[in-house]
Amino acid sequence: MSADVINKAFLATEEDFLNLVREQFETKPQIASVGSCCLVGIICSGLLYIANAGDSRVVLGRLEKAFKEVKAVQLSSEHNASFESVREELRSLHPDDPQIVVLRHKVWRVKGIIQISRSIGDAYLKKPEFNREPLLPKFRVPNSFEKPILQAEPAISVQKLRPEDQFLIFASDGLWEHLSNQEAVNIVNTCPRNGIARRLIKAALREAAKKREMRYSDLKKIDRGVRRHFHDDITVIVLFLDFHLISNSSTCRPLVSIRGGAGVSGNSKY
């Protein structure tokens, strides 16, 4: 396990999907506009590897013994054009393109189309061969390009886990639009483990409803397609950490992943 191995896995996934786009483009051209953020967490030999392409986020809940509180520690950074650092990175990669990032309706977008700068897929912004008919005009870039506009390479960090590290929250930007890092950590720390990811989603949806001055029950009645006008899609995974299990993993074989489910009690190790 290494950062290089993870990077190669991202690029292999990207290449396989681009090959699928090539095969189906003439009959299913919209596949060239399909893309996804990708957030990966791997624990191996006491080390935590985080790899991110897009604007999902992972937050660690760490026990501060001096204050007897669990604090939020953000472990990833988003590749979103709303951040000045991302816009500067795009400008440095595309110095001859003054329209690489465009401000439209008070929102920064790459080529005026998309907010993220890294993803798996989105072939129409990576390969000029897909920037043409029969792809719909709204997905096509006006000027031709040679260098990929978006990247698939993830940003990777590696750190040693500590005994005070309690849990990890992996979530798409739909959650973080409505909950702060600390709010999410507080919910996970004070509620039963079973069903905790669903509880986080419910808390975010309640905040989304409140911002629209409507009841949560009314928001849930809105058709899924229309609901995208009220909140983004939300995906959440919560991983609870057992430091004793992690620290012994280098000597215990075989390594296994244990998935929690119905009936998991609040004091379960997994």
Side-chain angles (χ1 to χ4, degrees), residues 209-221:
K210 188 185 299 182
K211 290 175 183 176
R212 289 298 189 111
E213 298 182 342
M214 61 190 304
R215 292 179 300 181
Y216 168 70
S217 57
D218 292 332
L219 177 64
K220 287 188 67 177
K221 295 175 185 176

Side-chain angles (χ1 to χ4, degrees), residues 43-82:
I43 296 173
C44 184
S45 301
L47 295 177
L48 171 64
Y49 297 80
I50 297 294
N52 184 43
D55 56 4
S56 295
R57 182 189 305 173
V58 58
V59 172
L60 169 70
R62 174 174 288 162
L63 177 63
E64 295 284 352
K65 293 183 179 179
F67 303 100
K68 296 182 179 179
E69 294 178 346
V70 176
K71 295 291 187 181
V73 181
Q74 185 170 324
L75 300 183
S76 61
S77 57
E78 288 94 311
H79 305 122
N80 189 301
S82 62

Side-chain angles (χ1 to χ4, degrees), residues 21 57 67 69 79 83 85 88 125-126 152 180 197 208 239 260:
V21 175
R57 182 189 305 173
F67 303 100
E69 294 178 346
H79 305 122
F83 295 100
S85 59
E88 287 303 316
L125 292 173
K126 292 175 178 173
S180 69
L239 177 67

Side-chain angles (χ1 to χ4, degrees), residues 68-223:
K68 296 182 179 179
E69 294 178 346
V70 176
K71 295 291 187 181
V73 181
Q74 185 170 324
L75 300 183
S76 61
S77 57
E78 288 94 311
H79 305 122
N80 189 301
S82 62
F83 295 100
E84 176 63 29
S85 59
V86 172
R87 297 197 296 273
E88 287 303 316
E89 178 184 55
L90 286 164
R91 290 174 182 135
S92 66
L93 291 171
H94 305 273
D96 299 323
D97 187 354
Q99 300 296 311
I100 188 63
V101 283
V102 178
L103 185 64
R104 283 188 177 174
H105 307 296
K106 299 182 180 180
V107 176
W108 285 100
R109 296 182 182 274
V110 181
K111 299 298 290 184
I113 299 172
I114 193 170
Q115 285 188 270
I116 59 170
S117 63
R118 303 192 193 193
S119 71
I120 301 292
D122 294 307
Y124 72 113
L125 292 173
K126 292 175 178 173
K127 299 291 184 180
E129 64 192 271
F130 305 120
N131 186 37
R132 61 175 177 83
E133 293 183 342
L135 186 65
L136 292 176
K138 69 177 181 178
F139 292 116
R140 298 204 298 267
V141 180
N143 301 316
S144 61
F145 60 91
E146 296 181 4
K147 180 189 277 190
I149 295 169
L150 303 187
Q151 300 180 69
E153 291 86 351
I156 302 175
S157 66
V158 185
Q159 67 179 66
K160 191 174 181 65
L161 286 169
R162 306 181 192 174
E164 56 268 28
D165 295 341
Q166 305 293 298
F167 52 81
L168 296 160
I169 305 171
F170 297 83
S172 61
D173 63 319
L175 182 81
W176 308 114
E177 284 177 4
H178 301 293
L179 296 180
S180 69
N181 292 349
Q182 192 60 51
E183 285 172 335
V185 163
N186 290 346
I187 291 171
V188 174
N189 186 49
T190 58
C191 297
R193 292 186 176 187
N194 195 31
I196 193 61
R198 186 178 298 275
R199 188 181 293 268
L200 284 170
I201 292 174
K202 188 174 182 179
L205 293 180
R206 286 190 181 280
E207 287 300 315
K210 188 185 299 182
K211 290 175 183 176
R212 289 298 189 111
E213 298 182 342
M214 61 190 304
R215 292 179 300 181
Y216 168 70
S217 57
D218 292 332
L219 177 64
K220 287 188 67 177
K221 295 175 185 176
I222 299 174
D223 180 73

